[in-house]
Amino acid sequence: MTPLQDALHPAGIQAAHIAGLWWFTVAICAVVFVAILAGLFYALVRAPRGDAATPPDMASMERPERATKRTVVTAVALSIVGLLALLGASIATDRALATLPLANAVHIEVIGHQWWWQVNYDDPVPARTFSTANEMHIPVGRPVVVSLKADDVIHSFWVPNLHGKKDAIPGRTNTIQLQADKPGTYRGQCAEFCGLQHAFMAFTVVAEDDARFQQWADAQRKPAPEPTDAKARRGHDLFMSGTCMMCHQIQGTTANARKGPDLTHVASRPTLAAGTLANDAQSLAAWIRDPQKLKPGVNMPAHHVPDDELDALVAYLETLK
Ligand code: CUA
């Protein structure tokens, strides 16, 4: 299922406030647009018709135009009222966005990288923290506090169905609070130009009931399973003896680097390469062989390994459910 990315179908209270402000702005602007066109049309119809021989109408120079003046003053006053109404609505929306009750909130740290999202789930018990990439699960009906950081350049976290945009800035932490009220899968997108692959810096937010969320989180906390068949075993050994483990982490193995996405449960994710590819064996093989072809400029280098080694690596990664 293609996840929704639509600010006009709010799935949470914050996005609903923003959508409300949008429709209010559209309504006021529509009324102004129609009024201006009506005035223009009226003027065109009423304007006196003349030809080269008609003398210029100098009447307005000689006597004051009371009716015209009244119309202009009324139009200016109505414009001021309209603008004040928009200002008031904007302030009220801002205030409403800031008042989400945060009791029992889920805390998630999101770090923007060129060009993927690192998602860290915080927990008072350090052993219960875990990391994933380009995928966020949240429980429906519970507030979520997202701490936003950036590793390299400015990125912007945006899930239109749940909230507005918030920048992730290197060297500082921003927070955004959101809550999903409807279960569903929503698409997030980086909303600040951050380099070559900015457009391919997407992520998925899955909002589900608390029981399913806990189930997912428990599965993510588990270390990677030991490969059982020979091919996956060979892939595991290639991973641990090659360059893969210099950038990636797989919990429960000797791969502990944090440069690239955590791959402990990579096979359970909906996409690869931050929403660029479907997560299947074919895409995975193509990605490992030549990421530059699929996402030019990305930090992962090409790996020109023999076919049988590539097969084994893919077989191993596919076991990381
Ligand atoms: Cu990250 Cu645009």
Side-chain angles (χ1 to χ4, degrees):
M1 187 188 97
T2 317
L4 258 186
Q5 183 185 329
D6 188 349
L8 299 183
H9 285 93
I13 178 81
Q14 314 282 85
H17 286 309
I18 295 171
L21 177 63
W22 156 258
W23 285 118
F24 183 67
T25 309
V26 168
I28 291 217
C29 293
V31 168
V32 171
F33 181 68
V34 169
I36 288 175
L37 282 193
L40 179 68
F41 190 70
Y42 178 71
L44 284 175
V45 168
R46 274 215 39 198
R49 295 285 170 268
D51 54 36
T54 315
D57 178 7
M58 306 295 282
S60 63
M61 312 289 278
E62 284 143 24
R63 54 184 159 75
E65 290 187 301
R66 292 231 168 70
T68 311
K69 200 171 163 188
R70 255 198 318 272
T71 310
V72 169
V73 169
T74 311
V76 168
L78 285 177
S79 303
I80 292 173
V81 170
L83 287 171
L84 284 178
L86 287 178
L87 179 69
S90 172
I91 293 171
T93 305
D94 233 17
R95 290 178 72 102
L97 290 178
T99 52
L100 183 71
L102 296 179
N104 192 27
V106 182
H107 288 264
I108 304 173
E109 180 185 62
V110 171
I111 306 174
H113 300 265
Q114 281 176 319
W115 291 280
W116 61 282
W117 300 92
Q118 182 181 345
V119 184
N120 299 330
Y121 281 77
D122 217 3
D123 198 284
V125 184
R128 286 173 56 82
T129 60
F130 64 92
S131 274
T132 178
N134 309 316
E135 183 191 23
M136 217 171 111
H137 283 234
I138 58 173
V140 167
R142 254 174 89 185
V144 178
V145 179
V146 182
S147 304
L148 290 168
K149 295 177 180 172
D151 178 40
D152 30 44
V153 298
I154 300 175
H155 303 272
S156 187
F157 179 89
W158 187 33
V159 193
N161 293 83
L162 297 177
H163 205 317
K165 301 166 184 174
K166 188 78 137 206
D167 278 2
I169 300 169
R172 56 178 288 180
T173 304
N174 277 347
T175 56
I176 185 167
Q177 292 96 25
L178 48 90
Q179 181 171 312
D181 295 319
K182 285 184 207 155
T185 305
Y186 308 109
R187 188 176 186 276
Q189 169 65 42
C190 180
E192 179 81 46
F193 181 70
C194 55
L196 220 50
Q197 295 297 334
H198 155 69
F200 294 99
M201 188 169 165
F203 59 105
T204 307
V205 178
V206 180
E208 54 202 354
D209 62 61
D210 205 53
R212 290 180 70 168
F213 168 71
Q214 295 301 345
Q215 214 176 10
W216 172 82
D218 285 339
Q220 295 290 314
R221 282 185 193 108
K222 290 204 181 89
E226 278 286 311
T228 44
D229 71 289
K231 195 163 152 192
R233 179 85 239 161
R234 179 159 179 243
H236 166 275
D237 296 346
L238 285 164
F239 191 102
M240 300 308 156
S241 60
T243 51
C244 309
M245 57 99 76
M246 290 161 77
C247 291
H248 295 282
Q249 177 168 50
I250 297 179
Q251 295 279 3
T253 71
T254 50
N256 280 311
R258 303 298 294 263
K259 182 74 194 145
D262 183 304
L263 300 179
T264 312
H265 297 287
V266 64
S268 73
R269 293 176 199 154
T271 66
L272 292 173
T276 313
L277 306 167
N279 191 357
D280 55 37
Q282 218 180 350
S283 308
L284 196 53
W287 178 255
I288 297 170
R289 177 146 276 168
D290 197 357
Q292 301 299 323
K293 201 166 143 193
L294 299 161
K295 230 175 148 173
V298 75
N299 281 322
M300 179 157 154
H303 294 84
H304 296 293
V305 289
D307 283 349
D308 61 317
E309 290 190 6
L310 187 63
D311 267 6
L313 272 171
V314 170
Y316 171 55
L317 293 172
E318 291 277 282
T319 66
L320 303 177
K321 290 250 159 47

